Amino acid sequence: MTHSQPPLDLSPKVSDEVRKTTCYMCACRCGINVHMKKGKVAYIEGNRDHPVNRGVLCAKGSAGIMQHNSPARLRNPMKRVGPRGSGEFEAISWKEALQIATDWLEPLRREAPEKLAFFTGRDQSQSFTGYWAQQFGTPNYAAHGGFCSVNMATAGIYTMGGAFWEFGQPDWDQTKLFMLFGVAEDHDSNPIKMGLAKLKKRGARVIGVNPIRTGYNAIADDWVGITPGTDGLFILSLIHCLMKAGRIDLDYLARYTDAPVLLNGDPKSPDYGLQMRDEDGKALVIDRTTGKLTPFDQPGVRPDLAATYRSAGVTHRPVFHQMAEQYLGEDYTPEAVADRCGIPAKRIRAIASELARVAFDEAFELDHAWTDFRGEHHKTMTGRPVSFHAMRGISAHANGFQTARALHVLQIILGTVEVPGGFRFKPPYPKPATAHPKPHCNVTPGAPLDGPHLGFVQGPEDLALKPDGSPARIDKAFTWENPMSAHGLMHMVISNAHAGDPYKIDTLFMYMANMSWNSSMNPGGVIEMLTDTDESGDYVIPRIIYSDAYSSEMVAYADLILPDTTYLERHDCISLLDRPISEADAAADAIRWPVVQPNRDVRGFQSALCDLGAKLGLPGFVNDDGSQKYKDYADYITHHERRPGVGPLAGFRGKDGAKAGRGAPNPKQIDRYIENGGFFVNHIPEGAQYYKPWNAAYQDWAVDMSLYDSPQPYLFSLYAEPLRRFQLAAEGHGDRQPPDHLRERIKQTMTPLPTWYESDPHGTQGYDIHALTQRPMAMYHSWGGQNAWLRQLHGHNPLYLPTALMCEKGLRDGDWARVSSPHGEITVPVAEMAALNPKTVWTWNAIGKRKGAWALEKDAPEVTKGFLLNHLIHELLPPKGDGLRWSNSDPITGQAAWFDLKVKIEKTAPPAEAKPQIPPQRSPVPPPPKNLAWKVGK
Ligand code: SF4
């Protein structure tokens, strides 16, 4: 007998269309499939074909639907009608908004372009925004790298032509020992998680170095709960152990690094300590075969690590000699550093020997033939399966640049960079500092700046100084105070503009940077600066234009708001000219495109800049007849050429879309990207995939792809010569001289071989507990704290204290504590955490919100219990008795030293709300609905 079964739809259709674009719920830029029903976003999944995430989607990514529908979205352009900070605005049309901006900016461009300061936050279009600012003619442009991880990026570029994250990645498939330092879990999120999964599957070992054991550190095989700010000391001790034991890759050092390069040894010479070079500027080594002095790159040369060169009674020694002298000394023995680092000496030795064991005893040969830049043919590639990763944790200290450099030296002496199993660059990297532009700052009213704003200085001659020696830039980037500030110093812009130091500006123009709240040190002080008036009642910072998609705390401080779209409503270009999404085996770039049309009167910020650029008549944004050149950002992405044949997107170039890297603009390029899933990938051929800086086949491929214009092999810089040039100036050599009060600091901190120094030895007496923030995996800066789904994961943020400190202070979970620093005081809830460095407390970053912002309810936990540590941090250090207020930044790069904060803690009675409470601001968007719910489709 047959029973009739009810028909079951085993695979119901979840959507009527899938649109593939790029996630922007954090900076990883994973590929996403946006499922649409009846024209609305139904849900988001990972794109399985995408090179970044291969289908993996994190909690943030899937919560993108709530970001797209957030009640905090701005609705229209607005002009301020109440006092600054009140949040009182009037909606205006785009026509009026652009006219106001033009009326403000046009006279500045004509008379004094530097009076515009244009700074962008989490912008992923810096090659475009920088180009716009350059055409305007102001020297005052940068993105947010100065308060994020410029130490990391700069140290990597100056040492080996690339850093971690966007610059390179571990060889996840072959590495056997992975060591990560101070990683924020919301950056490089899915790629690291996928990589860790691979390691765990293969039984590879993970060592996490972090004062806090959360996230990636929680799944590490070994957790090293280091004391904040001492990573450099720990790393230099590892280097000490490895050099002492002779467990370093001498062949690699001799062939591919400056270890054998001779240094001028004549103390009387103005070039003392600089590399010896031939007439063509090529570094000189002694060839082991001939014993002769020779340029490093000649065919057949075998550089000698040990040989010295004697001339005119002076002995010139190679870099390697200096390394031995510096690192084999007693200062770096594990016993000497153990207490300061909070790591027993025995453990430091054990880690050093494990690194050496895996790098050398588990080395392997990969059957890939290749030819190096000296023309030598190699039948195989030697694998050293040890890799490293680091991020902001080691970077955001006043010694972060040298710490990051030390980590690269550790990688290099183990021979683990650009080899199988090690750390590998992602195109367009590797690219040495000398192949990057230098900073430009020469202003001509009515004309573009003389070149790109940001770059890599090679010595004092490249500083951004006016003829009288004063800073050319409002943020004082590229000055003696922070000579190698390659990303600018966004965190100093408001205080310098308020002080009129080095000069007054007229208009502060910012994009996506929450500078009156979690992106500033000392938010209360910044709010005062933004609202301060002069004797005639005018604002000290006369005009502020701000663009954001959401009602962030910063919105209330603008005079004019240009509302941006959400990431699902816009065009974007994740470009090889900028911060691409390449993999170690391939160059890749991607787009965003409007998978949904905005239902508000908003425009993608970059499209608004195309309009504004045309109204201002900026070269590059108008045609010869004065008409607008790019109708919107998509038009710019398609047709702009930075160099002939080289544009924002590398894929589908040429009239028929068949070219990669170089080729004429293709009017259908964006359509081709959409058809291809929103991205483009071009794989590096076998034999060119490793040893990239020295591999002739890779260099040729990179030229074809337009990454370079000609092959440019180079040596890794264990010894960073530009630093030595600044030291020479501080010693009195050269025409450009530092002010006297900075000479000693330059000599001590700008050592060409990485060193370690206390990040702030004088300013924190009595405050002896380190206080850190971390960004949670589920949030991306302040954005996540308004997201209905993600708020359920992190609605508020206790201050976590280690167990012993909880006991000492008589605290229990849920109690409240007063936390103070030399700059301020906060009162916050506490919680105990055992897996924490005993001298450290911490909290999640940017969960705390201001009342009135982000369309949150008045009693939302984010505004009543959430808090920021920023109130305890100041952009200047406490007075040291020398009459000067020193910047709370790395003295080399200007990186904001967020993690140098030290505090005192005492128990207090629970207040009604976390303190301080800054008075509410009026919301420029309607109050949030009680429930956020809607029906998609039928
Ligand atoms: S890791 Fe970042 S980019 Fe990737 S899915 Fe998550 S939020 Fe999106």
Side-chain angles (χ1 to χ4, degrees):
M1 196 176 130
T2 339
H3 292 286
S4 64
Q5 299 285 339
L8 285 180
D9 184 357
L10 295 174
S11 186
K13 254 180 88 175
V14 292
S15 55
D16 40 45
E17 191 188 351
V18 176
R19 298 185 170 179
K20 299 185 181 214
T21 184
T22 305
C23 185
Y24 199 175
M25 292 297 290
C26 84
C28 287
R29 297 155 298 173
C30 298
I32 48 172
N33 297 346
V34 181
H35 286 256
M36 311 290 298
K37 257 192 176 177
K38 303 276 182 209
K40 285 198 162 182
V41 179
Y43 89 102
I44 299 172
E45 68 171 347
N47 179 350
R48 289 174 180 77
D49 302 321
H50 200 277
V52 172
N53 57 321
R54 308 207 179 278
V56 174
L57 193 73
C58 78
K60 301 187 292 290
S62 53
I65 188 167
M66 304 312 283
Q67 204 84 0
H68 171 63
N69 288 288
S70 166
R73 287 170 305 167
L74 297 173
R75 306 332 196 235
N76 336 67
M78 295 185 292
K79 70 177 175 195
R80 180 176 57 77
V81 292
R84 247 194 220 159
S86 65
E88 291 167 40
F89 288 96
E90 178 185 298
I92 55 174
S93 67
W94 272 98
K95 191 169 172 214
E96 185 179 350
L98 291 172
Q99 193 56 50
I100 292 172
T102 306
D103 291 345
W104 291 353
L105 298 180
E106 197 276 329
L108 302 186
R109 181 161 197 271
R110 200 170 355 103
E111 286 154 28
E114 71 279 9
K115 288 193 176 293
L116 168 66
F118 180 38
F119 284 76
T120 69
R122 278 157 283 159
D123 176 12
Q124 294 186 353
S125 58
Q126 289 161 32
S127 81
F128 170 77
T129 49
Y131 179 71
W132 191 95
Q134 193 183 325
Q135 302 311 309
F136 187 90
T138 178
N140 294 321
Y141 165 82
H144 77 293
F147 67 73
C148 188
S149 281
V150 65
N151 273 338
M152 190 62 65
T154 314
I157 299 268
Y158 275 111
T159 310
M160 52 186 208
F164 298 107
W165 187 25
E166 291 163 312
F167 304 87
Q169 66 186 64
D171 188 348
W172 297 114
D173 291 319
Q174 301 186 84
T175 203
K176 291 183 177 167
L177 176 58
F178 175 56
M179 196 164 175
L180 82 169
F181 288 77
V183 175
E185 295 153 22
D186 73 333
H187 280 59
D188 207 352
S189 186
N190 276 348
I192 289 202
K193 282 180 267 173
M194 291 155 63
L196 286 170
K198 283 186 178 176
L199 301 191
K200 290 277 167 189
K201 211 164 163 184
R202 286 194 287 108
R205 187 164 170 206
V206 178
I207 303 177
V209 183
N210 197 316
I212 308 159
R213 187 165 199 183
T214 57
Y216 304 137
N217 287 276
I219 60 158
D221 300 285
D222 287 311
W223 170 60
V224 182
I226 195 165
T227 299
T230 65
D231 303 78
L233 196 56
F234 168 53
I235 294 164
L236 291 172
S237 188
L238 294 174
I239 290 171
H240 168 95
C241 295
L242 292 164
M243 288 186 76
K244 191 126 193 171
R247 298 281 269 170
I248 57 178
D249 192 336
L250 293 173
D251 187 56
Y252 183 95
L253 287 170
R255 286 174 186 273
Y256 309 127
T257 80
D258 63 359
V261 169
L262 293 162
L263 299 172
N264 184 317
D266 181 0
K268 295 200 197 85
S269 164
D271 292 339
Y272 179 47
L274 296 181
Q275 293 182 355
M276 296 180 71
R277 296 176 185 277
D278 69 3
E279 300 97 56
D280 297 329
K282 287 188 179 167
L284 295 170
V285 297
I286 302 284
D287 183 8
R288 265 166 60 198
T289 318
T290 63
K292 292 210 168 112
L293 197 62
T294 174
F296 76 96
D297 62 346
Q298 297 305 293
V301 165
R302 291 295 180 98
D304 194 326
L305 285 173
T308 58
Y309 177 71
R310 195 150 170 87
S311 155
V314 174
T315 302
H316 306 285
R317 300 182 306 152
V319 167
F320 194 59
H321 275 212
Q322 282 217 11
M323 289 177 67
E325 201 170 273
Q326 183 162 329
Y327 298 133
L328 290 177
E330 293 301 303
D331 289 354
Y332 298 119
T333 64
E335 289 71 20
V337 310
D339 285 349
R340 277 176 290 169
C341 296
I343 310 168
K346 211 167 139 193
R347 196 157 186 217
I348 298 173
R349 289 190 191 283
I351 292 170
S353 84
E354 182 63 1
L355 289 170
R357 188 191 67 73
V358 179
F360 301 114
D361 303 348
E362 297 205 27
F364 61 96
E365 295 298 317
L366 201 64
D367 205 9
H368 285 193
W370 68 290
T371 303
D372 70 27
F373 66 98
R374 295 188 181 98
E376 187 174 342
H377 189 68
H378 305 259
K379 288 197 178 119
T380 59
M381 295 176 166
T382 301
R384 301 222 179 275
V386 175
S387 60
F388 296 83
H389 182 78
M391 267 304 284
R392 197 177 183 190
I394 67 167
S395 174
H397 292 283
N399 58 18
F401 174 82
Q402 291 286 20
T403 294
R405 287 234 325 118
L407 182 51
H408 295 311
V409 169
L410 174 62
Q411 291 179 280
I412 292 168
I413 64 170
L414 287 166
T416 62
V417 182
E418 266 304 323
V419 299
F423 173 83
R424 306 175 64 197
F425 291 114
K426 308 194 237 189
Y429 300 96
K431 195 170 169 187
T434 46
H436 287 261
K438 292 177 175 179
H440 292 76
C441 62
N442 287 322
V443 173
T444 308
L449 198 71
D450 59 337
H453 304 83
L454 303 174
F456 289 80
V457 300
Q458 292 300 316
E461 65 283 5
D462 298 330
L463 291 177
L465 299 175
K466 290 183 177 176
D468 65 1
S470 65
R473 292 173 53 104
I474 188 68
D475 59 357
K476 302 190 189 177
F478 310 111
T479 64
W480 293 104
E481 283 182 36
N482 19 251
M484 301 169 112
S485 37
H487 291 181
L489 283 84
M490 190 168 182
H491 52 296
M492 297 306 294
V493 171
I494 292 173
S495 56
N496 291 356
H498 175 259
D501 175 18
Y503 48 79
K504 286 190 180 299
I505 61 160
D506 178 272
T507 301
L508 178 62
F509 188 3
M510 289 195 161
Y511 175 47
M512 249 204 226
N514 206 10
M515 297 307 288
S516 69
W517 200 243
N518 57 285
S519 291
S520 273
M521 296 174 167
N522 181 25
V526 169
I527 286 171
E528 280 173 24
M529 294 176 206
L530 292 170
T531 51
D532 195 16
T533 52
D534 59 20
E535 53 289 347
S536 42
D538 297 327
Y539 287 115
V540 174
I541 300 174
R543 293 182 172 119
I544 300 176
I545 307 175
Y546 183 55
S547 177
D548 201 323
Y550 301 101
S551 172
S552 65
E553 283 87 352
M554 183 60 197
V555 166
Y557 295 93
D559 307 311
L560 178 66
I561 294 289
L562 305 178
D564 195 14
T565 63
T566 71
Y567 72 106
L568 296 180
E569 299 166 323
R570 60 184 299 115
H571 278 105
D572 264 325
C573 141
I574 295 106
S575 168
L576 283 165
L577 303 180
D578 208 322
R579 303 171 60 180
I581 53 157
S582 299
E583 293 292 295
D585 286 336
D589 58 15
I591 61 160
R592 292 191 187 92
W593 58 287
V595 298
V596 199
Q597 289 302 323
N599 57 0
R600 308 165 314 287
D601 193 13
V602 298
R603 268 186 215 180
F605 176 64
Q606 295 77 5
S607 291
L609 279 189
C610 289
D611 295 342
L612 189 55
K615 277 178 87 67
L616 290 165
L618 303 187
F621 288 86
V622 287
N623 296 309
D624 292 344
D625 64 1
S627 58
Q628 182 160 344
K629 188 159 185 179
Y630 304 115
K631 78 175 167 26
D632 55 19
Y633 191 36
D635 197 16
Y636 166 90
I637 292 170
T638 308
H639 292 107
H640 174 73
E641 287 180 277
R642 196 53 65 91
R643 309 195 300 279
V646 178
L649 291 172
F652 310 111
R653 297 195 69 82
K655 290 273 176 274
D656 57 357
K659 296 222 160 90
R662 291 172 200 272
N666 168 14
K668 299 257 181 258
Q669 190 182 32
I670 288 184
D671 294 341
R672 295 291 302 276
Y673 270 79
I674 293 171
E675 285 160 24
N676 198 51
F679 63 92
F680 167 80
V681 178
N682 193 4
H683 289 275
I684 303 170
E686 194 180 293
Q689 292 174 348
Y690 296 93
Y691 296 94
K692 294 184 186 105
W694 320 291
N695 184 328
Y698 175 79
Q699 296 281 320
D700 291 344
W701 178 87
V703 171
D704 282 351
M705 269 300 288
S706 80
L707 307 181
Y708 317 141
D709 285 333
S710 60
Q712 42 189 288
Y714 63 95
L715 299 177
F716 283 167
S717 298
L718 297 159
Y719 187 93
E721 213 183 11
L723 292 163
R724 177 63 197 145
R725 293 198 186 101
F726 285 100
Q727 278 190 323
L728 278 170
E731 289 163 12
H733 294 283
D735 300 335
R736 267 197 168 173
Q737 286 289 300
D740 286 343
H741 72 278
L742 291 174
R743 283 184 195 276
E744 270 320 297
R745 190 175 83 166
I746 290 170
K747 284 189 225 169
Q748 279 171 15
T749 59
M750 298 191 76
T751 55
L753 285 175
T755 188
W756 183 83
Y757 51 87
E758 288 268 11
S759 43
D760 182 23
H762 307 299
T764 55
Q765 284 98 340
Y767 299 88
D768 52 6
I769 301 168
H770 297 268
L772 303 177
T773 53
Q774 289 203 111
R775 287 189 297 260
M777 247 174 209
M779 301 281 183
Y780 181 49
H781 299 275
S782 50
W783 277 352
Q786 53 141 341
N787 186 298
W789 289 354
L790 301 180
R791 289 180 62 205
Q792 295 172 41
L793 302 176
H794 295 282
H796 68 280
N797 52 316
L799 185 74
Y800 293 99
L801 273 67
T803 304
L805 195 57
M806 287 288 277
C807 296
E808 185 193 318
K809 303 287 174 191
L811 288 162
R812 292 181 173 203
D813 279 4
D815 285 347
W816 288 67
R818 187 162 36 237
V819 185
S820 55
S821 77
H823 307 295
E825 186 177 296
I826 58 176
T827 304
V828 299
V830 299
E832 180 186 339
M833 180 173 173
L836 183 54
N837 174 282
K839 296 179 185 164
T840 303
V841 298
W842 75 280
T843 192
W844 297 118
N845 186 37
I847 303 293
K849 299 280 189 277
R850 183 169 169 189
K851 284 182 182 162
W854 299 103
L856 295 174
E857 289 179 323
K858 282 204 291 292
D859 56 352
E862 289 84 352
V863 302
T864 55
K865 287 174 90 180
F867 66 91
L868 299 180
L869 280 190
N870 305 47
H871 299 295
L872 304 177
I873 310 174
H874 199 283
E875 62 275 6
L876 298 175
L877 295 173
K880 295 178 187 175
D882 57 5
L884 300 166
R885 289 296 300 274
W886 297 75
S887 161
N888 186 10
S889 303
D890 186 295
I892 301 170
T893 63
Q895 150 117 40
W898 297 99
F899 296 158
D900 285 345
L901 174 63
K902 287 191 185 163
V903 298
K904 284 181 194 163
I905 295 178
E906 55 190 312
K907 187 173 176 178
T908 186
E913 296 182 331
K915 292 183 193 169
Q917 281 290 332
I918 294 184
Q921 55 193 113
R922 219 166 117 174
S923 174
V925 296
K930 199 93 203 119
N931 294 307
L932 198 55
W934 62 94
K935 186 151 177 59
V936 176
K938 279 190 253 175

